[in-house]
Amino acid sequence: MMDCKKALTETDGELEAAVDWLRKSGLAQAARKAGRTAAEGLIGMATAPGKAAMVEINAETDFVARNADFQAVVRELAMHIAAASPQAVSRDSLDQTMVERERGVLAEQARAEGKPENIIEKMIEGRLRKFFEEVVLLEQTWVIDGETRVKSVLESLAGTLDTSVAVSDFVRYQLGEGIERESKDFAAEVAAQLGS
């Protein structure tokens, strides 16, 4: 309310100019906040049979990190990561060779469907958006409600707490992941044991 009064005073009662003044002021406040370092926060962990996830979420103050809403979102985000298996926090942090490989596969699929070249690029962009929604954490659908994007959940939390909130990193473990298993032919193994 006081900002509105100040805006009208600054613009000599001109309503449109006051709206512009408020918008500029809001951008200036957002720019000031963007420059602040978010070095406090929490590391959340979630486990499920055969998988686990740890996530670091940073905030500007330790006061925010102690907030029950913040702590709940950290726990839920760790559960989301364990369940949804994202590959990266954001598009920028996604391995670009993976993106280019996916782009190539999508282009070949579109050509195999007989689509004209001018349509292929639009198809690739649409399918890449879908790919990002599957592998990029911030673009995934929140598993807790099945509707909201993770990015929106974090933006809502930041708005509620009136501070910036950012996912710094995460680690996801899957039981047996990265271990090559020897494949055995059970029938041949039984036959070999019976033959001896």
Side-chain angles (χ1 to χ4, degrees):
M1 190 73 146
M2 295 304 293
D3 287 340
C4 292
K5 182 177 179 182
K6 186 175 180 182
L8 287 168
T9 303
E10 291 287 328
T11 59
D12 297 323
E14 300 246 355
L15 189 58
E16 292 298 318
V19 169
D20 291 343
W21 186 91
L22 283 170
R23 290 179 68 202
K24 290 175 187 172
S25 173
L27 291 175
Q29 287 176 346
R32 279 196 306 274
K33 280 187 175 185
R36 297 192 302 211
T37 303
E40 299 294 330
L42 289 175
I43 294 176
M45 189 169 111
T47 60
K51 54 189 167 189
M54 290 186 346
V55 62
E56 177 182 352
I57 301 184
N58 291 38
E60 293 175 8
T61 66
D62 63 337
F63 175 76
V64 170
R66 291 188 306 243
N67 179 287
D69 291 337
F70 186 85
Q71 292 175 358
V73 169
V74 171
R75 275 190 304 276
E76 290 173 350
L77 188 59
M79 290 188 316
H80 172 93
I81 291 167
S85 188
Q87 303 296 309
V89 174
S90 66
R91 285 186 187 195
D92 295 336
S93 62
L94 190 61
D95 180 10
Q96 292 306 303
T97 58
M98 175 191 282
V99 174
E100 290 308 313
R101 186 174 61 241
E102 186 68 18
R103 183 181 294 279
V105 168
L106 294 173
E108 288 305 315
Q109 286 176 347
R111 285 187 188 94
E113 293 174 12
K115 302 294 182 187
E117 285 296 320
N118 62 339
I119 302 295
I120 289 176
E121 191 58 35
K122 291 177 184 175
M123 289 177 66
I124 291 171
E125 291 309 312
R127 291 177 179 176
L128 270 178
R129 270 193 304 277
K130 180 70 175 159
F131 171 73
F132 291 137
E133 290 172 5
E134 293 172 4
V135 300
V136 174
L137 175 65
L138 295 177
E139 297 188 29
Q140 287 181 328
T141 301
W142 187 237
V143 295
I144 306 301
D145 69 6
E147 297 176 7
T148 314
R149 298 264 178 243
V150 171
K151 182 179 180 179
S152 298
V153 170
L154 296 174
E155 288 170 349
S156 175
L157 177 65
T160 299
L161 300 174
D162 192 32
T163 188
S164 64
V165 174
V167 176
S168 301
D169 202 1
F170 68 87
V171 178
R172 184 181 182 280
Y173 295 99
Q174 178 76 35
L175 184 64
E177 187 174 53
I179 299 173
E180 287 210 25
R181 297 180 184 199
E182 186 179 326
S183 80
K184 296 182 180 179
D185 183 355
F186 183 69
E189 190 176 318
V190 170
Q193 286 181 358
L194 290 176
S196 17

